[in-house]
Amino acid sequence: MKVIVLGAGVVGVTSAYQLAKAGHEVTVIDRQEGPALETSFANAGEVSFGYCSPWAAPGIPLKAMKWLFMQHAPLILRPKMDAAMLSWMTQMLMNCTSERYAINKSRMLRIADYARISLAEVRDETGIAYDERMQGTLQLFRTQQQLDASAKDVKALAADGVPYEVLDPEGCIRVEPALKHVRQKIVGGLLTPKDETGDCFKFTNALALKAAAMGVKFLYGTNIKALDVEGGAIKGVVTDRETLRGDAVVVALGSYSPMLVKQFGIKLPVYPVKGYSLTIPIVDASRAPESTVMDETYKIAITRLGDRIRVGGMAEISGYTNDLGQKRRATLEHSVADLFPGGDVSKADFWSGLRPMTPDGTPVIGATKVKGLFLNTGHGTLGWTMSCGSAKVISSIVSGKKPEIDATDLAVSRYA
């Protein structure tokens, strides 16, 4: 078939690669001048197959109230007169129950574990390099309360067969030796050893080149105006340059996906939750992390990427704005300097991106009510983590084949 993929972020490019592998004629459209120039550009760098949980969790409403008054808050709410924001927040609150958390986390772990296998396959097939490391994620607890609260995650990991290790302070230092300088600030940690790290921008660009060599056509600097639908079936995509004809269209536009499909009665509750990052050159390797350390207090990931440290996190609900608030930079600087002192944050590059979040934390992958129109979006903070797995799933669905994992509860129809 002729398949058009909308979006050249990591989700769009991995989808195009898998669709090309399946034998389809693939075209990718993106408004930017190259791949991975929006949310995939400078994310936290963690590929967290084990450390993946819904933001909607028991106790989050109460925590959110406290966070609003913290100097270095992991959650920032800037309310607007926006029906989509209000609807999304209401649905998220409805998912903050133990029952919904268990269902949503199980879904996420299912996709993430499949993505772990799929990413390894892509590495073997292509040989691409992206500052990758396979040394796990250490979720670091500064208080006993945080350590005790991790029991629900341990239970979910055990139920899904995901390897983990609960560590005391000395165990944390064994995994991340640089933490010996701040031993007194650590109560314990949760290690998910199968997790990886890597530069999403480097990966996406390298894979785009491989896909292009396979025949995938990339149309950069091209604005998508509308979907061409006739008689309830997709016919193509209208751009500011031309109308492209296709047998199938995969929407992988992240936070911008809902606008494109809304007119066809498709209720896609994906909303932007902005994250921030710093990229800092390593001055002293002995004081830098080996892999990813997740600072549970501030919900900030500190990741080693080659000769750089990527510090990423926070969740700002403020609509489609990409401004760089200096208060957010101060929070990132505080977390990394507190756990890994000795770096030079003055030389850091500051960035923000809009994560496409669903109310339940699970991405939307599958067919829609429009024949030939498919979705691969809503991955939130886990687009990099889940990209290779969700790409294989959507490629199978587009090809009319049964995916290798259960994807029936990932489709947009769950919101109908």
Side-chain angles (χ1 to χ4, degrees):
M1 295 188 294
K2 288 186 177 181
V3 183
I4 303 171
V5 176
L6 306 183
V10 68
V11 172
V13 171
T14 51
S15 297
Y17 173 78
Q18 293 295 343
L19 287 161
K21 272 185 63 180
H24 301 295
E25 182 182 329
V26 184
T27 300
V28 180
I29 306 174
D30 197 282
R31 64 184 177 186
Q32 297 291 349
E33 296 302 322
L37 288 175
E38 294 198 23
T39 306
S40 299
F41 181 70
N43 61 23
E46 56 178 326
V47 189
S48 44
F49 308 119
Y51 180 77
C52 61
S53 299
W55 278 80
I60 283 295
L62 181 59
K63 286 183 180 179
M65 294 298 294
K66 295 178 180 178
W67 285 337
L68 292 176
F69 299 100
M70 280 177 59
Q71 179 183 1
H72 298 297
L75 173 68
I76 304 99
L77 177 60
R78 291 161 62 183
K80 298 176 180 290
M81 295 298 291
D82 182 349
M85 177 189 284
L86 180 61
S87 174
W88 183 89
M89 291 179 65
T90 301
Q91 291 182 68
M92 182 182 177
L93 288 171
M94 291 172 65
N95 275 278
C96 291
T97 66
S98 297
E99 182 183 2
R100 294 304 309 171
Y101 180 85
I103 292 170
N104 296 331
K105 187 173 179 69
S106 181
R107 286 175 181 168
M108 295 171 75
L109 287 172
R110 183 200 318 153
I111 305 165
D113 192 57
Y114 185 56
R116 175 181 61 82
I117 298 166
S118 304
L119 174 56
E121 289 175 353
V122 171
R123 272 199 307 269
D124 291 342
E125 292 164 358
T126 64
I128 60 178
Y130 48 95
D131 288 332
E132 70 277 9
R133 288 190 173 206
M134 292 78 180
Q135 294 174 241
T137 294
L138 176 62
Q139 187 179 4
L140 197 68
F141 306 122
R142 296 172 183 254
T143 68
Q144 187 63 41
Q145 185 179 14
Q146 290 172 350
L147 181 59
D148 293 343
S150 69
K152 67 180 186 302
D153 290 322
V154 167
K155 183 178 179 181
L157 293 170
D160 284 87
V162 179
Y164 69 90
E165 187 178 353
V166 179
L167 303 174
D168 61 13
E170 298 309 317
C172 294
I173 293 169
R174 171 176 53 81
V175 173
E176 288 287 354
L179 290 174
K180 65 184 179 183
H181 302 290
V182 292
R183 165 67 179 77
Q184 73 282 5
K185 297 178 181 180
I186 303 169
V187 170
L190 175 60
L191 176 68
T192 42
K194 293 287 187 180
D195 287 4
E196 302 177 10
T197 58
D199 189 320
C200 184
F201 176 77
K202 284 187 175 182
F203 173 87
T204 307
N205 275 264
L207 191 62
L209 290 175
K210 296 290 184 181
M214 295 164 64
V216 176
K217 185 177 181 181
F218 287 87
L219 300 179
Y220 297 120
T222 303
N223 290 305
I224 300 156
K225 298 179 71 175
L227 297 174
D228 185 5
V229 175
E230 295 179 16
I234 198 79
K235 297 298 179 183
V237 178
V238 181
T239 76
D240 59 352
R241 296 185 177 186
E242 60 181 321
T243 297
L244 296 168
R245 296 299 174 190
D247 304 302
V249 172
V250 176
V251 179
L253 291 170
S255 300
Y256 297 90
S257 301
M259 292 86 146
L260 197 64
V261 302
K262 183 179 180 181
Q263 71 181 93
F264 306 108
I266 299 170
K267 297 179 181 179
L268 178 59
V270 170
Y271 198 78
V273 176
K274 184 161 65 170
Y276 295 86
S277 78
L278 293 175
T279 305
I280 311 168
I282 292 176
V283 176
D284 181 354
S286 69
R287 288 180 171 268
E290 291 296 322
S291 187
T292 292
V293 172
M294 186 70 193
D295 186 348
E296 183 63 17
T297 298
Y298 305 107
K299 299 288 187 182
I300 287 173
I302 306 168
T303 300
R304 176 79 161 262
L305 295 176
D307 59 356
R308 301 157 294 146
I309 296 174
R310 176 70 51 75
V311 187
M314 287 175 288
E316 180 177 306
I317 304 172
S318 57
Y320 290 82
T321 60
N322 234 329
D323 56 303
L324 290 169
Q326 290 306 304
K327 287 184 178 179
R328 314 302 169 234
R329 176 170 185 148
T331 297
L332 295 171
E333 290 182 353
H334 173 75
S335 177
V336 67
D338 197 46
L339 292 178
F340 297 97
D344 188 354
V345 294
S346 68
K347 295 180 179 178
D349 293 323
F350 187 32
W351 172 89
S352 71
L354 301 179
R355 309 184 191 102
M357 295 282 288
T358 60
D360 59 17
T362 311
V364 180
I365 310 169
T368 70
K369 63 174 71 175
V370 177
K371 185 180 179 182
L373 180 61
F374 302 87
L375 299 172
N376 190 9
T377 187
H379 297 76
T381 59
L382 296 165
W384 179 198
T385 294
M386 295 180 174
S387 57
C388 289
S390 62
K392 287 192 72 175
V393 169
I394 201 64
S395 177
S396 295
I397 294 172
V398 171
S399 303
K401 299 178 180 179
K402 184 179 180 180
E404 294 176 333
I405 62 169
D406 180 16
T408 55
D409 55 355
L410 304 180
V412 71
S413 57
R414 72 179 189 261
Y415 295 112

